[in-house]
Structures are given as C-alpha cells and as structure tokens.
Amino acid sequence: MTTLDSSKEIQKNNSEVNETHEDFRMFGLITFLIADGMTFAGFFAAYLTYKAVNPLPDGAIYELELPIPTLNTILLLVSSATFHKAGKALLKDKKSDSQKWLFFTAFLGIIFLICQLFEYFHLPFGLTDNLFASTFYALTGFHGLHVTLGTLMILIIAWQSRINGGRLSSKNMFPLEAVELYWHFVDGIWVILFIILYLL
Amino acid sequence: MTISIDPQKTNNESLQPKGWLRYFSFSLDHKVIGIQYLVCGFLFYLIGGTLASAIRIELASPMSDFMPRDVYNQVLTLHGTIMIFLWIVPVVNGAFGNYLIPFYVGARDMAFPRLNAVAFWLIPPSGLMLVASYFVEGAAQAGWTAYPPLSITTPQSGQIIWILSVLLLGGSSIFGGINFIATIIKLRRPGLKLMQLPMYCWAMLGTSLLVVLSTPVLAGTLILLSFDIIANTGFFNPVLGGNVVVYQHLFWFYSHPAVYIMVLPAFGLVSEILPVHARKPLFGYTTMVFSIMGIVVLGLVVWAHHMFTSGTPPWMRLFFTIATAFIAVPTGIKFFNWVATLWGGRISINSAMLFSCGFIINFVFGGITGVALAQVPFDIHVHDTYFVVAHFHYIVYGGTVFIIFSSIYHWFPKVTGKMLNEKLGILHFIVTFIGFNLCFAPQHWLGLNGMPRRVAEYDPQFQFVNQISSLGALLMAISTIPFLINIFLSVRNGKDAGDNPWNALTPEWLTSSPPPVENWEGEAPLVEEPYGYGKEFSEQK
Ligand code: HEM
Ligand SMILES: [Cu+2]
C-alpha cells in the first residue's frame, strides 16, 4: 500500500516546518466526502422534486415497509459506535481488541447488506416499474455501493491491525481514522435517506 | 507499509525518465503534470477546432450539403464537449494551476502528487474514447447539454460513451479540485498569509470549491441518464412518467458553475499578467478577493436562467433573474479593477499584454449580452438562437482562450528559459482578434433575427451574414499557424530569457528558468507583496 501524498516529505524539506507539520490527508478526505455528499444531495433533490410534481400514475405500486429499514438504521448506528471502539483500542495499542471491534463492525455492515438485498427481493415493485421505484433503487443502490466499499475497507484495515506485522498502531492511526470518517459519513447519509425515502 | 514519496528519490534518474520522455511518464512533478495538461489540452483543441471549421463550412450555405444532418449533430456535440471538458477546463485549471500554484504558496509540489498524476492520466483515455465514438455507431448527437428525451432517443452507443467519458473527466476535475484546495489552504509556506497570495490562488480556490460542490451533481445526473438509456428506467423519459425538467435543473446546477470554472481561473491569470506588464500593483486586491468569493456563492444559485423557456414558474423566473443580475456586480468590480490597474501604468505592448487587453474587451461584451439574456422577456425571444452562441463564445473564446494564449506568452520563458518571438506573437494576436470578432459579432444579429442554433440548415436570408462568420472562422484557424511556428522555433532556438525577463515579483520568477526539480535551490522565498511594482523599479531606472 502506498499513500497518495508526499506531503510529509515535501514539508520536511522545508526546514522551518520540520517538526510542526500537520497531516492534511484528512483534510483531503473531508473535501472528497463533501463532493460525495453532493452526489447524494442531487439524488435527494431529484426525488423530492418528483414527489412534489409527478403524481404516481393510477395502478402503479410503490409501497415500502418499515421493519427492515428500521433494523438497518439500528445496525448502522451501532456499527458506528463499534468502529469508534476500535479506534479507541488502537489508540491504546490494544491491537487485538481493535481488530475484534473492526471485524464486528464489518459483520454489521454485511448484515446490513443482506437485509437490504432481502428487502429488494420482497418489494412489490421492480426497478423499471415507475418513477419512484426507479429512484428508490437508484438511491438505496448507490448507498449500498458505499456500504460495500466501506465494509471491504474495514476488512482491509482489520487485516492491517493484526498483532504481528500489522502496520496500524497508535503511531499510524490514519488509515483507521480515514475509514472511520467515511463510515460515519455513510451512516449519516443512511439516516437522511431513511427519513426522506421511508418516513416522509 | 507506508512509502512516502520523497521527491528527491522519485525524480532521480533511475526512477523517472529524463528529457522529453518524462512528459509521457506517470510523473509526480507538478511542473511536468502542468505541461502534460497543456499539451494534451492543446491537441484536443486542434481536434475541436477542426470540428468547428466543419460546422462553419456547413453553415456557409443554407442547405445541408457538406455533411448529412445527423453527422452535423455529432460534429457540434463533439465540438462542444471537447472544447469544454478537454481543452478549457483542463488547461485553465489543470495546466496553469499545477504549474503555478505550488510556486505561489511556496511549496515544492502539490499536496497529493499521486492523485494529481492520476487526475491527469484520466484525461487522454476518456478524450480518445470520446473521439473514437464517432466510428462506432456514430457519436452522441444531443449537444454538450445531452438533454433528454433527445439523448435517450438518439443512437445509444455514442451517447453511452459520451456519458462514460464525461464521468471520467468529471472525476479528474474533482481530484484536481481537492488537490488545489488542500494545497492552497494547507501547504502554504510558513509566514505566508492568505491575503498575500497572488490572485490566481484565490481564483483557483474559488474554482475548486465550485468543482467540488457541483461536479458530483453532474456525475449523479449522468448516471441516472445512463440508466434511462441502458436499463429502460424513466427518470427523464416522459413516456415512462419521468420528468425532463428535473434533468435540466440538475444539469445546470453543475453547468452554470461550470462556466465559472472556465472563466474564474482566467480572471486570476489576467490579474497576474496585467500588473507585470503595466508595472503597477494590482488595483483593489481585497475587493478582488471578495468578488471572487461572491461569484462562487452567487454562481451556485443562478442556474435556472438557462431554463426560462422550460415552463419555469414566475417566482422562479423572478428569483433567477435577480440573482443573475447580482452576479454582474462582482464581475463588474473585477473589470474596473483591471482597467484601473492599467490606468497610468508603464504599459509594454507585447503579445501577453495584447491578448490580455483583448480579453478585457471581449469579456465586457460577453458580460453585457449575458445580463441581457438574464432578462426573461428578452431571453424568451433569443433563447436557443445564435445570440446565445455569440454570448458564450465571447466569454469562452474571447475571454478564456485569449487568456490561455496570453498566459502562454507570459510563462513560456519561465517553462523553457527561452523567449517567444514577439513579431509572430503580435501577428497571432491581430489575426485572432479580427477573426474572432468577425466570426462571432455577426451571430448576435443572426440570433436577434431568429436563426436557431444547432440546426444544419437555415433560411437563405441569413446566408451573407453566415458567410462573414465563416470567413472569421477561417481567420481563426489560420491564426494558429503563426502560433505553432512560434512555439516550435522558440523551443529550439529562441532567445535566452534569463531567469526573470519581465522583472516580475511573483514567486515563480524568483527561481531559475526553467525551475529546478524542487522549485527552489534553497528555501522558498517569502513574497509578502506579489504586486509591489512601481517603487523598486522607478529607483532602478
Ligand atoms: C455576467 C455574467 C453572465 C450572465 C449574466 C450570463 C447569462 C447567461 C444566460 C441568461 C444564458 C442563457 C441564455 C439562453 O440559453 O437563453 C447564458 C448562456 C450561456 N452562458 Fe452566460 N452569462 C454570464 C457569464 C458567462 C460566463 C462567464 C460564461 C463562461 C465562461 C458563460 C457561458 C455561457 C454558456 C456556455 C451559455 C450557453 C449554454 C448552452 O445553452 O449551451 N456565461 N448566459
Ligand atoms: Cu449560466
């Protein structure tokens, strides 16, 4: 694995900043997440506009049930907390604890995805049935893609925080912190999505 | 394990090719990447220009005789897309941004060099893919705006390739934007305050904010559009209950900011060039900074002025007319600042200065027609006519492309250590300026008299004026010749430039020309007054 930046080395050459440089990879990640959030904002805006101006045609079916998505909301919120625990453990260099929490977080992510698929298969409408059906699948699908990527990244850093030879430690927290921020972001998007798609 | 990239190592001979070969490598040096952007963009500009000539040849006569109608539509779509996404945006942001921003903030490279190289290398494949789509089943035909239902009903493979290519280019643009924001905010040399940065940094900061906030919306929209085309969904397909106006809103939410993504960096570049060649400080630095940021904020809330004829409700028309009128205020401030910078200066009439002055003149004209277009009663008459074509070419060509050339004349000695030939440069300017105005000024008249845009045929009464316009286009094509000759001659045996031929004060000139791999031999200089002209030089001479 390589990181995307040479910032530290470059700053080191700039003798005055030798010690005091800050790590701005996080800054870059936050900027990226704002961009990613705008994609969702576009989707939400489209959905809300459709809702306001495009009535559901006669006979079209678009009904959602609450139990599974509510469970999914809880799963993701809990997973945010467990991820946080993993970070705290790593900060104290308790690598095996950290790894356990990470695996547990990834496990919650996988359950979320399974529930999502289960919901897909039991909904009374398909992708092309009507405008709302299409928008529903596009939004949840795009979010599900984010969860999938996040889960994969969690598994990768879990592997990297293994006790022997793992590269993560209290001195190298960035990969974990980056994935954690991303994961909280994906959770936040889900909460908004849950409110807009299911509750409104 | 982390391999942090030590520039000393990566630019070492064993790892990176030397000489011209490095321009074909995955180089991490911001200066190499800047030139890669510029040359790649210019090659696409030549392709886009050839397509433009084809359009003007077709329009020299009222019938569609030069090419079939559907080919005409493909040509104008490719022309617009190439010029915007492969020439203007990458060059005015990527090329000059990469070359200059690290100097301006006193850094040795961009914040994320690897991301930077990735962003560049996304461009050639997506551009080639776009050009190649012509040979598949025909390229996209729905214009650079790709409005549905047209984009859904025209042949699909070309449109899908178009979407894929624009998505990749958008990704490249977002990566670039993230990099610029991080570099300007975080990588400043210690002691350098934000309000001491050269104006181009502010312009790039504003532009990058727009890129980061609006490009993702375009990406999302195009993904939905591709679903409509491939998966038979109906987001934007009225037949399936969809809503085409939603596409327009989402598209213009990106594409109005996109016009500022194309022009704000040019504002920054001209603010660097004018003070140097007029030997005066940039007038109104602070107001300039605030107007850039004002344009960024307002630029995000004026998009529906492109949609006055799309059944927009009256309150929406009112809001967007007023917001658009407001955006003319910061733009006007900048215009007055440039004029005031020139006022009473010791102006050198050279190619860089001429192109910058050409920019100011053309841009005012385009700005005035822009404000006119924002008035609903007027716009309803001229929307989708040649008046709009004239308006935006005055801004994009008369404004941004003029500044690209001005910048090339200004920074060529920096990049190569050689001077460009002034006689050829002035010839280039004269032919471009005349050709440009001859080509686009008559189009205002055509539009006011009702000639629609994007149609291969027109009413014979318009023929004469169209021929004048085509003549102008011919001159513009010819104007490239002295420019190319100039570049080739000067790269090989141009006059030696020395390190700072213009006696400029901005940081990029305070090192050797061409600069060393790490920009400065020692520490980066602290430039607190990038525009402190006047004092030192009056003493010198
Ligand atoms: C003073 C500021 C400006 C105002 C008030 C303004 C206003 C407008 C309006 C109202 C339209 C819509 C006309 C129509 O379709 O009926 C328009 C079109 C356009 N403007 Fe501007 N504009 C301004 C500056 C710019 C700048 C700086 C650029 C680019 C760098 C630009 C590029 C364009 C383009 C490309 C179109 C046509 C888009 C299309 O339909 O293909 N404008 N402008
Ligand atoms: Cu606009």
Side-chain angles (χ1 to χ4, degrees), chain B residues 202-221:
Chain B
W202 284 103
M204 282 308 295
L205 185 62
T207 309
S208 304
L209 286 171
L210 287 176
V211 167
V212 164
L213 291 175
S214 67
T215 316
V217 177
L218 176 75
T221 314

Side-chain angles (χ1 to χ4, degrees), chain A residues 1 6 11 15-16 35 50 54, chain B residues 1 5 113 187 216 235 243 523:
Chain A
M1 287 293 290
S6 62
Q11 291 242 341
S15 54
E16 278 182 50
Y50 287 144
N54 287 55
Chain B
M1 56 157 287
I5 304 136
L187 212 57
F235 296 109
N243 188 333
E523 216 175 276

Side-chain angles (χ1 to χ4, degrees), chain A residues 83-196:
Chain A
F83 206 143
H84 191 66
K85 285 257 180 204
K88 286 221 154 148
L90 188 64
L91 200 59
K92 292 183 202 132
D93 273 322
K94 291 184 184 156
K95 286 195 174 190
S96 66
D97 280 7
S98 173
Q99 198 181 27
K100 264 181 228 141
W101 284 117
L102 284 175
F103 276 128
F104 188 54
T105 313
F107 174 72
L108 291 175
I110 291 169
I111 303 279
F112 172 93
L113 288 170
I114 292 173
C115 289
Q116 181 86 70
L117 283 179
F118 182 82
E119 189 194 16
Y120 279 2
F121 285 118
H122 288 79
L123 283 172
F125 52 81
L127 173 66
T128 55
D129 280 10
N130 58 60
L131 191 53
F132 294 93
S134 306
T135 320
F136 170 84
Y137 282 110
L139 256 171
T140 50
F142 192 56
H143 178 267
L145 201 66
H146 279 75
V147 177
T148 313
L149 281 179
T151 310
L152 287 177
M153 288 194 292
I154 294 174
L155 289 174
I156 291 172
I157 54 168
W159 166 250
Q160 286 176 341
S161 61
R162 67 193 184 277
I163 298 175
N164 297 320
R167 61 185 269 229
L168 295 196
S169 68
S170 59
K171 282 184 210 71
N172 184 16
M173 292 285 289
F174 175 73
L176 184 134
E177 282 172 344
V179 181
E180 180 175 352
L181 184 67
Y182 172 86
W183 193 251
H184 293 325
F185 165 80
V186 174
D187 287 357
I189 294 285
W190 173 262
V191 172
I192 301 173
L193 188 152
F194 180 65
I195 294 172
I196 291 184

Side-chain angles (χ1 to χ4, degrees), chain B residues 425-481:
Chain B
I426 292 176
L427 178 70
H428 175 210
F429 169 75
I430 294 175
V431 182
T432 311
F433 191 76
I434 296 176
F436 165 76
N437 279 291
L438 206 59
C439 181
F440 291 107
Q443 294 183 359
H444 293 103
W445 185 87
L446 288 173
L448 287 172
N449 285 280
M451 177 173 159
R453 63 191 279 212
R454 291 181 172 164
V455 185
E457 295 163 11
Y458 55 83
D459 193 311
Q461 59 160 320
F462 297 132
Q463 181 165 15
F464 177 67
V465 180
N466 267 300
Q467 282 171 344
I468 296 182
S469 178
S470 293
L471 183 70
L474 180 67
L475 281 183
M476 285 162 81
I478 292 175
S479 75
T480 327
I481 297 171

